[in-house]
Amino acid sequence: MRCENFREIISLYIDNELNQEETIEIEKHLQVCEKCSREYEDLLTVKKLLSETPQVELPENFKIELHKKLVETAPQIDNNIKIIDFYKKPKKKFNWKMYSSIAAVFLLMIVSVAVLKNNDMGINKFTRVEDSVPESQENMPMEIKENGMMYSSDFKRRAAGKPGEFTMDGSDLDIFTKEVPKITRDESIVKEFTNSDSKIILKAHLHLGVKDHDSAYKEVKGLVDESGGYIQSHDISNKSFAENNTKKLLKISDMILRIPRNKFDNTFKELVKLGTPVSQNTSSHDITREYRYTLEKVLSLQRDEKELREALNKEKDISEVNDELKRVRKEMSKLKDSIENWDDLVELSTIDIKLEEVVLKDKGIEN
Amino acid sequence: MSDIEKILIEKSKNGDIESFERLIEKYQIVAFNIAYRMIGNKEDASDIAQEALIKVFKSLKSFRGDSSFSTWFYKIVTNKCIDAIRKMKKVKTYSLDKEFETDNGNYSIEVGDNRYLPDKLYEIKEKRELVHSALKRIPEKYRTVLILRDIQGFTYEEISRIIDNPLGTVKSRINRGRLLLKEILIEESELFLEN
């Protein structure tokens, strides 16, 4: 074997990818050629160095960032929640095409609800608007048409009312809650969202050095009460203190405060004044997109649930439907939990505060 | 592919984020590490790995399941990395590839003289840093196979499927890649010792 050929396949030898014949050739050459056997050792070293390269950990916020991006991407994938696209670019102009197609969607939904359900529940809702409507099925299509038109004009009115700032945000959710209450059984969740446009979680961390723990604690409590919030948790511990022959036992408090979001800024400012800040930071986390996405998902699950319940009445093979219904309900309650949790976090900002009693060595600093 | 994986894939195809996150749980760290070694810094690697994962999420519908998910997955990851590297190069308008490229486009490697790698490395404690920066200097087609083979431990066959090239190409790239890396390591360790 010539050195050139050796160099061509030496890595394969290292990786045990050669057949027996080639392996023997290589080994023979290794014994006679010093240059090539050095090369071989060099390459073994290269391979060893590479294989010792450590696996690095994922960056701290990798999964969170990814999750956000996935949430932004998901609506493009899931056909059931196409409606979310409307939220993405709030339209300033009145768009007939869009609204008429939305109206068509609702029309369709109402038809399906009415046809599927075929009970007075659905019809009653519709007749609330129009006074005298017979409860016979032949009249349904006309009835629905009227409702469809009503929606359109409703949109128009809204658009005309505030032309500059009219957006699709929440409006169609409004319709979900107002006009088709049977579909959204849990109205409270949905309605709440329509009231405010963005969902922002405010958080703060504050570590304070204080001269007198107990009086600082009282002041914190005062501020919390004033804001209408509450203290979620409070731990007090004693700091072992071996410096400067001080006999006084120093206290440390760790508290989690929940402050209504509109009082957050002021309360935080006041809290900072209570001592010497060791560290502090505030952060806001906008979850509007995730929130809307989850909300839509709940709505779609509620529709699934309804269909399944109906299927349950008709089908003979119940166990399969039952399982599916269980799954839907489980998922729905999980999503609702996270919505409730978000609501709580948005409504009440969270401040975690540490009060650390300190003895100032230099009396001069004290004032 | 396990049954659970199949279920998670089906659910992810419908846009179920939670299932997708479970599906990629064990793959994403490898994806990030491939990107990190390919690109060289963690910030860009993180962005690119995420882009790749989003692409996986988006194109799952076209995954037919006739190849293994992991191969398909890593194919997307390595392609994203190579794309990103090419874009970065355009910005820099400077190619390190040229260093070893001859007029006819082949890579020439001088036969090593009396320079002997283990001796050079003996005195160097920062071997990891040295390897990391040396890797960045070899052309990405060699870098890719070395990362897959020697850092991540894929087999030749797997690499062949991931980079969509015949086994023969993989074999020669691994061989040439190691030879190139060796030369650069010797060079870098000499530089290192001089300073």
Side-chain angles (χ1 to χ4, degrees):
Chain A
M1 180 178 267
R2 291 168 56 188
C3 294
E4 272 167 49
N5 300 15
F6 177 88
R7 282 172 58 86
E8 289 291 319
I9 55 169
I10 177 63
S11 273
L12 299 176
Y13 174 70
I14 290 171
D15 287 340
N16 217 355
E17 291 281 328
L18 292 177
N19 61 34
Q20 206 183 355
E21 208 177 314
E22 291 166 319
T23 307
I24 292 168
E25 288 268 317
I26 288 271
E27 282 169 356
K28 268 188 196 162
H29 186 78
L30 271 175
Q31 282 175 350
V32 295
C33 179
E34 198 196 340
K35 204 163 120 186
C36 282
S37 75
R38 282 194 156 200
E39 183 97 299
Y40 167 65
E41 279 184 53
D42 275 359
L43 291 181
L44 272 184
T45 309
V46 169
K47 187 179 164 74
K48 186 166 169 282
L49 284 173
L50 284 172
S51 63
E52 283 168 357
T53 301
Q55 194 94 312
V56 292
E57 299 265 319
L58 285 177
E60 206 182 323
N61 46 1
F62 186 90
K63 288 184 183 179
I64 298 166
E65 281 176 14
L66 180 67
H67 182 81
K68 273 190 199 165
K69 291 180 190 172
L70 287 171
V71 169
E72 286 167 24
T73 311
Q76 300 164 22
I77 293 171
D78 194 342
N79 296 328
N80 299 330
I81 46 166
K82 276 260 166 68
I83 200 161
I84 273 192
D85 290 348
F86 292 130
Y87 295 128
K88 278 194 166 173
K89 291 171 198 153
K91 291 266 162 74
K92 302 251 157 144
K93 274 191 191 167
F94 189 70
N95 185 336
W96 275 108
K97 270 189 188 170
M98 185 172 81
Y99 294 132
S100 49
S101 58
I102 292 169
V105 169
F106 282 109
L107 201 96
L108 201 73
M109 263 178 42
I110 293 157
V111 173
S112 16
V113 170
V115 169
L116 283 170
K117 192 77 185 171
N118 192 20
N119 65 10
D120 53 357
M121 223 14 249
I123 293 165
N124 270 342
K125 273 297 156 202
F126 303 141
T127 52
R128 198 180 53 182
V129 190
E130 304 283 302
D131 266 327
S132 58
V133 170
E135 287 194 10
S136 67
Q137 256 191 301
E138 293 91 58
N139 283 303
M140 280 305 290
M142 197 198 94
E143 176 57 29
I144 285 152
K145 206 174 170 190
E146 298 270 44
N147 276 283
M149 276 160 68
M150 185 202 72
Y151 292 143
S152 304
S153 59
D154 196 27
F155 275 121
K156 198 174 166 188
R157 187 180 53 73
R158 285 158 195 272
K162 26 178 182 169
E165 53 185 317
F166 179 70
T167 65
M168 271 307 292
D169 280 23
S171 311
D172 34 0
L173 285 176
D174 244 14
I175 286 174
F176 266 110
T177 55
K178 279 184 189 156
E179 311 299 342
V180 200
K182 256 296 157 190
I183 290 177
T184 58
R185 285 167 68 231
D186 197 341
E187 288 172 74
S188 60
I189 289 175
V190 183
K191 267 187 183 163
E192 199 175 308
F193 182 59
T194 61
N195 293 337
S196 58
D197 279 324
S198 51
K199 295 280 174 192
I200 293 168
I201 295 174
L202 296 169
K203 278 186 183 166
H205 158 81
L206 181 61
H207 181 178
L208 283 180
V210 294
K211 274 186 287 179
D212 179 43
H213 170 274
D214 292 347
S215 70
Y217 169 69
K218 264 182 207 152
E219 292 199 55
V220 170
K221 200 167 179 312
L223 283 169
V224 172
D225 289 343
E226 201 180 300
S227 76
Y230 63 95
I231 297 174
Q232 186 173 303
S233 73
H234 185 196
D235 290 319
I236 300 185
S237 53
N238 291 317
K239 185 159 73 166
S240 61
F241 194 74
E243 272 177 66
N244 293 358
N245 58 40
T246 304
K247 293 269 162 63
K248 195 185 167 198
L249 207 54
L250 297 176
K251 289 180 191 168
I252 301 177
S253 264
D254 284 300
M255 286 182 274
I256 296 175
L257 315 178
R258 302 299 306 278
I259 310 292
R261 61 181 162 182
N262 51 348
K263 300 281 169 57
F264 173 77
D265 281 338
N266 282 335
T267 310
F268 188 71
K269 272 179 206 153
E270 291 301 315
L271 285 170
V272 175
K273 288 181 194 159
L274 297 180
T276 319
V278 180
S279 66
Q280 68 180 83
N281 87 303
T282 59
S283 67
S284 68
H285 178 42
D286 191 340
I287 54 151
T288 313
R289 256 181 222 278
E290 285 140 291
Y291 194 94
R292 279 178 182 159
Y293 176 72
T294 310
L295 208 57
E296 278 301 326
K297 200 109 194 193
V298 170
L299 291 174
S300 119
L301 284 170
Q302 281 172 342
R303 289 193 287 275
D304 290 352
E305 191 203 15
K306 189 174 176 333
E307 276 171 29
L308 286 165
R309 270 189 294 126
E310 278 154 9
L312 209 54
N313 295 334
K314 292 174 200 158
E315 299 268 331
K316 282 181 186 114
D317 182 19
I318 285 175
S319 70
E320 210 172 293
V321 181
N322 240 339
D323 286 351
E324 183 62 11
L325 193 59
K326 261 185 215 157
R327 189 194 65 80
V328 167
R329 282 183 177 153
K330 208 172 137 194
E331 201 177 337
M332 202 154 68
S333 84
K334 210 168 68 184
L335 293 176
K336 278 185 185 167
D337 282 350
S338 57
I339 287 179
E340 272 169 33
N341 184 34
W342 277 332
D343 282 341
D344 174 56
L345 288 172
V346 169
E347 214 46 52
L348 293 163
S349 59
T350 309
I351 301 177
D352 86 80
I353 182 169
K354 191 187 197 78
L355 299 176
E356 186 170 4
E357 203 167 23
V358 288
V359 173
L360 296 174
K361 284 175 192 164
D362 184 352
K363 292 284 173 192
I365 303 172
E366 228 170 303
N367 300 310
Chain B
M1 226 181 320
S2 69
D3 284 348
I4 292 174
E5 204 160 73
K6 277 180 194 160
I7 293 167
L8 291 176
I9 288 170
E10 282 314 308
K11 285 189 153 196
S12 307
K13 279 183 181 179
N14 293 324
D16 182 343
I17 295 174
E18 201 183 320
S19 299
F20 182 71
E21 284 169 336
R22 271 177 66 197
L23 175 68
I24 58 165
E25 182 64 37
K26 63 177 177 181
Y27 296 108
Q28 58 190 347
I29 178 131
V30 180
F32 172 68
N33 271 273
I34 291 175
Y36 175 49
R37 299 301 169 190
M38 290 289 287
I39 311 291
N41 74 75
K42 288 184 183 171
E43 291 74 28
D44 289 336
S46 173
D47 287 346
I48 287 154
Q50 286 178 7
E51 267 180 44
L53 293 166
I54 295 291
K55 176 146 193 225
V56 168
F57 187 48
K58 278 187 185 167
S59 43
L60 253 183
K61 280 212 159 134
S62 68
F63 173 68
R64 293 186 307 276
D66 43 11
S67 61
S68 95
F69 175 72
S70 81
T71 307
W72 182 81
F73 177 90
Y74 292 123
K75 190 188 283 183
I76 290 176
V77 172
T78 51
N79 282 340
K80 264 275 175 243
C81 290
I82 289 169
D83 285 352
I85 290 168
R86 289 190 181 145
K87 269 184 207 157
M88 286 176 193
K89 270 189 197 154
K90 269 186 195 161
V91 178
K92 281 188 195 164
T93 66
Y94 166 71
S95 166
L96 287 166
D97 292 24
K98 301 291 173 199
E99 227 172 307
F100 296 95
E101 208 166 335
T102 59
D103 293 338
N104 57 15
N106 288 323
Y107 291 89
S108 66
I109 306 155
E110 292 295 312
V111 177
D113 45 20
N114 55 357
R115 306 187 299 173
Y116 184 44
L117 185 59
D119 284 351
K120 305 274 181 208
L121 289 173
Y122 185 73
E123 293 170 61
I124 298 174
K125 282 194 189 103
E126 294 84 352
K127 291 190 186 68
R128 282 177 183 172
E129 288 80 353
L130 201 72
V131 172
H132 186 69
S133 64
L135 251 184
K136 281 195 275 184
R137 288 185 53 200
I138 65 169
E140 63 261 16
K141 63 176 175 179
Y142 299 114
R143 201 187 312 157
T144 312
V145 292
L146 288 194
I147 289 168
L148 292 175
R149 173 69 201 151
D150 291 337
I151 298 184
Q152 297 300 341
F154 287 100
T155 66
Y156 280 62
E157 286 76 15
E158 283 167 335
I159 296 170
S160 157
R161 286 195 296 269
I162 291 171
I163 66 168
D164 227 346
N165 269 297
L167 200 55
T169 311
V170 175
K171 285 179 178 173
S172 78
R173 281 191 192 170
I174 287 174
N175 194 51
R176 276 176 172 265
R178 285 192 191 141
L179 288 168
L180 271 173
L181 192 63
K182 183 202 77 169
E183 293 302 320
I184 293 172
L185 281 170
I186 289 173
E187 202 182 295
E188 297 246 318
S189 50
E190 277 170 355
L191 274 173
F192 191 89
L193 291 172
E194 274 170 27
N195 293 327

